[in-house]
Amino acid sequence: MSTVRTVLGDVDPARLGVCDSHDHLFLASPRLPGQELDDPVAAEAELRAFAAAGGRALVQWTPYGMGRGGARLAGLSRATGVHLVAATGLHQDVHYDPAVLRGLSGAGVLARLFIEELTTGLREEGGGQAGEPAGVRAGLIKVAGGFHGLDGHARDVMVAAAEAHHATGAPIAVHHELGTGAPDVLDLLCGTLGVPAERVLLGHLNRFPDLRLHRQVAESGAFLALDGPSRAHHATDHHLFDTLAALVEAGHAGRLLLGGDTTTRAARGAPGLPFLVGGLAARITREFGAELTERLLVANPARAFAADWA
Ligand SMILES: [Zn+2]
C-alpha cells in the first residue's frame, strides 16, 4: 500500500489533508548567515497558525546537514497534530562546510546515507541537534541543480538520489537555481537514471517564469512545485496566477503543487504559513474554482508524496 512517510510514521495519503508541499521550519546555511530557521518556539507558533487556518500537512525540503531538526519536527508534529515530512538528500555544495562533503565522498556513501535516512532514521548532524531519535525517517530526497545546468556535485547527488529512489520508492524533490535547469535535471534523473517522471518534484520554477518551458517540463509527467508566497519569494509571487492559468489550460492541473518555501528568518511570520492555505487558497478558488484548490492542496500532494516503500 502507498503511504506518505512522515516523521511520526507512515500515513495513508487519503488522510494527509491540506498540504504545504514545499516549506521549511528549520534550515541553516553558511550562505544565509543570521537568517537561520532554528527557533522551535517560532516554528511551533507558525505551525499552530497554519493548523488554525486549515493546514494539515507540511513537507520540509531541508536536506541532510542543514539543521533539519529531525527530533524537533517529531515533537512539533506531536504537539500540533500537523503531519510533517522530512527530507534526506543534499543541497548545492556551497551550503556545506567542505569537510562535511569530504566525509560523504567515496563510492556508494551518499546513496547509503539517503537510504538509511529513508528507511532507518535521520542521522545526527551535530550542531546542537543531539538526540535525533532513532526512527524519525525522511519521506523524500532533496537534490539541487545549478544555474542552467548541473555541476559535478549536483550530478553525484542525483545519481545517489536515483539509487535511493530505486531502493526505496521515495520521491525526489529538486531545487532549481533561479528556476533554471529543469530539462537537464529530467534528462539525468529520468532519461539516464530511470526515475519515473511522476516521482520527481520540480521546485522553484516560478523564479524563471518561462511558461513555454513550464509546459515542456510538465509534459514529462513530473510534478511542478510552485513556491511562494513568502517574503523570500515576493519578487516572483505575481507570476503565480498566470503560471497556474497556463498550466491548467494545458491540461496539467494534476501535476501542480504549492508551497510557501519560507527559507529565511526574515521571511517568517506575517503573512506566514497560514496565508498559503488561507488568503491565497481563497483567491485560487475565486479565480479557478474550488476543485483546483482541492487538487493543488490535497489531491496532488497525496499522490506526489505517497510511495510504495521498500
Ligand atoms: Zn525550499
Side-chain angles (χ1 to χ4, degrees):
M1 177 189 146
S2 276
T3 56
V4 178
R5 182 149 288 175
T6 78
V7 295
L8 296 184
D10 291 352
V11 168
D12 179 349
R15 300 183 60 82
L16 196 63
V18 172
C19 182
D20 178 343
S21 291
H22 176 180
D23 227 308
H24 304 273
L25 293 169
F26 299 104
L27 182 141
S29 163
R31 297 285 280 203
L32 298 166
Q35 290 296 330
E36 294 79 10
L37 295 175
D38 57 1
D39 179 351
V41 175
E44 180 167 346
E46 278 279 282
L47 211 48
R48 286 195 186 281
F50 175 69
R56 293 290 172 266
L58 181 145
V59 182
Q60 174 172 280
W61 288 29
T62 311
Y64 175 83
M66 294 185 67
R68 297 169 293 187
R72 287 170 168 175
L73 290 176
L76 284 178
S77 182
R78 242 179 243 112
T80 63
V82 175
H83 298 300
L84 296 176
V85 177
T88 184
L90 280 189
H91 209 314
Q92 295 163 339
D93 55 5
V94 293
H95 291 286
Y96 297 94
D97 182 328
V100 171
L101 296 182
R102 277 196 299 277
L104 295 170
S105 61
V109 172
L110 268 188
R112 281 198 298 277
L113 168 68
F114 299 166
I115 293 167
E116 177 191 320
E117 293 204 312
L118 290 158
T119 58
T120 306
L122 301 182
R123 245 184 234 176
E124 281 194 36
E125 299 182 353
Q129 301 235 1
E132 301 279 10
V136 173
R137 295 183 294 194
L140 80 162
I141 310 163
K142 164 80 174 277
V143 301
F147 186 55
H148 284 294
L150 304 175
D151 63 12
H153 170 83
R155 289 179 174 277
D156 289 347
V157 173
M158 288 184 195
V159 167
E163 187 178 337
H165 162 79
H166 290 304
T168 64
I172 299 175
V174 187
H175 165 98
H176 292 94
E177 187 66 16
L178 298 178
T180 68
D184 304 80
V185 170
L186 290 170
D187 279 351
L188 177 59
L189 283 179
C190 306
T192 306
L193 300 169
V195 178
E198 64 271 19
R199 307 293 24 224
V200 177
L201 287 51
L202 306 170
H204 296 322
L205 297 185
N206 253 19
R207 295 181 188 177
F208 191 70
D210 176 336
L211 298 178
R212 290 173 180 83
L213 186 71
H214 291 180
R215 280 194 292 266
Q216 177 195 326
V217 297
E219 279 160 18
S220 72
F223 284 93
L224 278 64
L226 304 172
D227 31 68
S230 85
R231 199 172 278 271
H233 300 308
H234 174 71
T236 63
D237 277 353
H238 69 284
H239 300 300
L240 178 63
F241 281 79
D242 289 342
T243 304
L244 286 174
L247 290 167
V248 168
E249 167 89 0
H252 300 304
R255 303 257 140 246
L256 306 177
L257 304 168
L258 287 180
D261 197 26
T262 313
T263 50
T264 61
R265 196 177 289 177
R268 174 164 272 166
L273 293 181
F275 183 66
L276 183 78
V277 296
L280 188 75
R283 192 163 162 240
I284 291 170
T285 296
R286 191 160 62 242
E287 292 286 334
F288 301 105
E291 190 195 330
L292 184 70
T293 309
E294 197 274 341
R295 291 181 88 170
L296 297 176
L297 292 175
V298 180
N300 294 349
R303 291 200 333 281
F305 297 108
D308 297 316
W309 295 97

